[in-house]
Amino acid sequence: MGLKESATRTSINTALHYINGNPEKNLPRLMAFINTVMRNDTSFPGPRAAITQVINDPDNNLNQLVQGLFEDIDLSIIKKAFVNFVVNANFIGWEKQQKVREEYGCNVPWTILMDPTSACNLHCTGCWAAEYGNRLNLSLEELDDIIQQGKEMGVYFYIYTGGEPLVRKKDLMELCRRHNDCVFMSFTNGTLIDEDFAQQMLEVKNFFPVISVEGLEEATDFRRGDGVYGKVLRAMDILHKHKLPIGISCCYTSKNIPSIVSDEFIDEMISRGVKYAWYFHYMPVGNDAATELLPSPAQREFMYHRIREIRGTKKIFPMDFQNDGEYLQGCIAGGRRYFHINANGDMDPCVFIHYSDSNIREKTILEGLCSPMFMQYKNHQPFNGNHLRPCPMLENPQAIAEMVHHTDAHSTDLESPEPVEHLVEKTREYAENWTPEAEKLWKISHHTPYKETHEYIMSREQYEKEIVPKLNRKIRENTRNTRV
Ligand code: SF4
């Protein structure tokens, strides 16, 4: 660890101890101190002013959320999260990522999603994970190798999806121990969280569960099975009792809007100790996907406003994977900020895009990021200047079809491979219907025109002529043996 890193970590520890003594009084004092020290610093004046305003307003919901973190979560976990997430995954990691981006001209992610297993102890309606069957696994050593490679390029944040990741909870805890400098987040149905697992989470301090719920009892049990909601509440109680962090993930569909964002549901989750919520738009992935679950334009617009309202009024932080694209300049997949490795080792550009030309059992991560499919993503992001239409599958279906056709990407759904034409047939009408609503919302919130979608997909010939020679030279020299 360098001197600068060590000093930063010591300062964070000291600051957190100070805040923890009396968060209500000490947070504004600390912010005033930071503002004095940085009075001549012109970087991030907007965000700093906004944070100062929140921290000085005791009635502000986000202020109350932050105060609540110090009440409900063990201080050792907050410290670990700050060091691993803020310092390692952002400051230190970003610098390393930038170097690799510049050297290789490819996307380098901020986080990697991986499926330790396709096995699941539940079988939920419409779950894309169920499409993979339950026989595939990434071994402990393969998961470890992915993380080693990731850290070499500056990735300190890993997210588990599945299958049910906690089917492999012993291995996941082992990875937390081996990579004490990383943050691990895991989507889970929550049914395998028990006292013993909570004790292990307290010991490792770098594991953050995100429990999937469909709403209150009736909605959750309808999709996930009888008694599942009861088990989820039991898991939340265990986590809360041990002062462990709790997040939730919610898939919104035509059938559960608006109950999935109702006051009743949100308030219940807050009372259980939930601090953050990931909202996912239903994606019609897989041959048997239920297209009737796709939200209507009016329902999606409702979600756009409602998530922002919750963020501005409740003691919880919700993020909407589809409607918050405007804060991240559109699609973050293909390694731009993240990509997904399934339980068969296939490198999917996105957790919802199951077409790939790379597998970690045949290529290094870096080679995969430089593959034709990932380079197509990189070269054409954003897929639409209106970031409320970010997706090459959902809102710009022609894009995913063309990228698959111009590369050797194949369906990575081993149970029932889906031709890309079949996939885009399901989203074409949705994309057309959503466009006018998205245009209207964009004009209201941004007031500026954006660059129109264009003929952006690079042909295979162009790729081979322009990109491959540049990449080959560097990859051959540096990967396999030395990696980055
Ligand atoms: S591919 Fe679509 S779903 Fe995936 S990150 Fe990009 S916009 Fe989101």
Side-chain angles (χ1 to χ4, degrees):
M1 193 193 306
L3 260 182
K4 194 175 144 198
E5 284 169 50
S6 165
T8 310
R9 280 169 206 183
T10 307
S11 308
I12 285 178
N13 274 339
T14 311
L16 287 172
H17 260 298
Y18 175 66
I19 296 168
N20 192 48
N22 185 341
E24 210 175 325
K25 214 163 93 190
N26 294 342
L27 257 173
R29 283 182 177 172
L30 185 70
M31 201 62 217
F33 174 71
I34 292 171
N35 283 333
T36 308
V37 172
M38 296 181 77
R39 63 185 174 279
N40 297 326
D41 187 326
T42 51
S43 56
F44 307 117
R48 218 166 63 225
I51 293 170
T52 307
Q53 197 184 355
V54 165
I55 282 176
N56 284 309
D57 178 0
D59 296 328
N60 183 285
N61 65 303
L62 293 178
N63 185 337
Q64 290 167 357
L65 173 62
V66 174
Q67 311 273 354
L69 292 179
F70 286 92
E71 276 164 33
D72 290 347
I73 299 178
D74 195 277
L75 184 63
S76 65
I77 291 183
I78 297 179
K79 278 190 203 166
K80 189 82 176 161
F82 258 83
V83 172
N84 290 9
F85 189 74
V86 180
V87 181
N88 296 351
N90 287 287
F91 294 136
I92 295 170
W94 187 261
E95 232 175 276
K96 284 192 189 178
Q97 292 159 27
Q98 270 305 96
K99 275 194 191 143
V100 184
R101 284 183 194 114
E102 280 158 23
E103 187 172 359
Y104 291 90
C106 61
N107 274 335
V108 177
W110 169 70
T111 180
I112 298 176
L113 268 69
M114 39 195 188
D115 299 350
T117 179
S118 63
C120 184
N121 56 335
L122 303 179
H123 192 96
C124 309
T125 315
C127 171
W128 58 265
E131 301 297 321
Y132 280 129
N134 61 9
R135 295 179 303 277
L136 306 171
N137 286 286
L138 294 174
S139 70
L140 174 62
E141 294 318 317
E142 282 174 327
L143 290 164
D144 186 68
D145 185 49
I146 293 166
I147 299 166
Q148 296 277 9
Q149 292 187 55
K151 277 164 54 169
E152 284 168 23
M153 57 177 77
V155 183
Y156 290 87
F157 182 26
Y158 295 86
I159 303 177
Y160 298 118
T161 50
E164 168 50 47
L166 294 196
V167 167
R168 300 274 305 280
K169 57 186 173 182
K170 186 165 164 268
D171 288 341
L172 301 194
M173 288 297 102
E174 173 61 19
L175 290 165
C176 284
R177 288 184 199 99
R178 286 188 194 179
H179 300 283
N180 189 32
D181 51 354
C182 291
V183 185
F184 295 92
M185 183 178 269
S186 181
F187 290 98
T188 172
N189 59 40
T191 59
L192 299 173
I193 291 174
D194 54 19
E195 292 279 342
D196 178 55
F197 188 65
Q199 285 297 347
Q200 291 186 54
M201 279 178 63
L202 263 180
E203 178 215 320
V204 295
K205 307 184 196 315
N206 55 349
F207 186 85
F208 294 79
V210 179
I211 302 176
S212 303
V213 274
E214 310 301 325
L216 295 169
E217 184 169 11
E218 196 184 336
T220 299
D221 285 359
F222 176 74
R223 184 165 176 216
R224 295 180 172 262
D226 282 347
V228 170
Y229 188 71
K231 290 179 184 166
V232 163
L233 293 190
R234 191 177 65 98
M236 287 178 176
D237 287 347
I238 291 172
L239 294 170
H240 202 44
K241 188 176 84 187
H242 288 84
K243 300 192 90 179
L244 288 159
I246 313 172
I248 53 169
S249 107
C250 311
C251 174
Y252 58 91
T253 72
S254 61
K255 305 288 184 225
N256 68 2
I257 298 171
S259 67
I260 196 82
V261 282
S262 65
D263 279 338
E264 191 192 4
F265 172 67
I266 297 290
D267 293 342
E268 171 67 13
M269 292 296 105
I270 292 171
S271 77
R272 299 274 169 185
V274 174
K275 303 295 181 200
Y276 50 97
W278 292 72
Y279 278 88
F280 293 96
H281 184 292
Y282 172 74
M283 295 289 188
V285 178
N287 280 319
D288 299 328
T291 46
E292 67 275 11
L293 292 179
L294 278 168
S296 68
Q299 287 176 316
R300 182 161 170 187
E301 184 180 358
F302 169 81
M303 285 301 286
Y304 174 91
H305 294 300
R306 179 61 181 151
I307 291 291
R308 283 155 179 74
E309 185 179 46
I310 294 169
R311 270 205 291 262
T313 55
K314 303 274 186 190
K315 285 189 272 180
I316 189 170
F317 194 81
M319 291 154 281
D320 181 336
F321 200 60
Q322 216 59 25
N323 280 336
D324 283 340
E326 59 182 322
Y327 302 117
L328 297 161
Q329 288 77 52
C331 173
I332 56 171
R336 182 173 157 248
R337 293 292 175 270
Y338 99 98
F339 71 92
H340 172 238
I341 301 173
N342 71 18
N344 189 46
D346 297 307
M347 287 176 63
D348 291 328
C350 169
V351 75
F352 297 115
I353 302 284
H354 300 162
Y355 297 94
S356 175
D357 55 6
S358 302
N359 187 294
I360 56 139
R361 289 168 183 156
E362 292 156 4
K363 293 181 184 179
T364 62
I365 302 288
L366 182 58
E367 284 174 319
L369 291 170
C370 294
S371 72
M373 187 62 178
F374 278 75
M375 290 305 288
Q376 286 285 1
Y377 256 80
K378 171 170 189 295
N379 289 333
H380 303 113
Q381 285 167 323
F383 292 99
N384 198 304
N386 180 338
H387 301 319
L388 293 169
R389 295 164 58 199
C391 188
M393 168 183 69
L394 189 67
E395 294 104 351
N396 308 279
Q398 198 47 37
I400 187 64
E402 288 185 34
M403 286 194 290
V404 169
H405 288 147
H406 285 304
T407 62
D408 288 326
H410 58 273
S411 168
T412 54
D413 186 330
L414 300 179
E415 288 291 300
S416 175
E418 180 175 31
V420 72
E421 294 76 15
H422 186 264
L423 174 68
V424 301
E425 266 320 302
K426 288 177 287 181
T427 55
R428 213 179 291 283
E429 190 183 329
Y430 173 96
E432 276 169 26
N433 293 342
W434 171 241
T435 298
E437 294 297 337
E439 301 298 291
K440 185 186 79 186
L441 285 174
W442 186 264
K443 275 190 196 122
I444 294 168
S445 56
H446 293 268
H447 310 289
T448 49
Y450 58 83
K451 208 167 149 213
E452 284 295 336
T453 312
H454 50 284
E455 283 300 315
Y456 43 70
I457 302 302
M458 183 179 269
S459 71
R460 185 193 297 260
E461 293 71 35
Q462 232 179 324
Y463 175 82
E464 280 170 5
K465 198 167 145 214
E466 293 173 22
I467 306 286
V468 171
K470 277 193 226 159
L471 294 176
N472 277 350
R473 189 164 31 91
K474 287 182 170 170
I475 293 169
R476 300 267 179 271
E477 291 163 11
N478 296 328
T479 55
R480 287 273 180 233
N481 300 325
T482 59
R483 302 222 174 92
V484 180

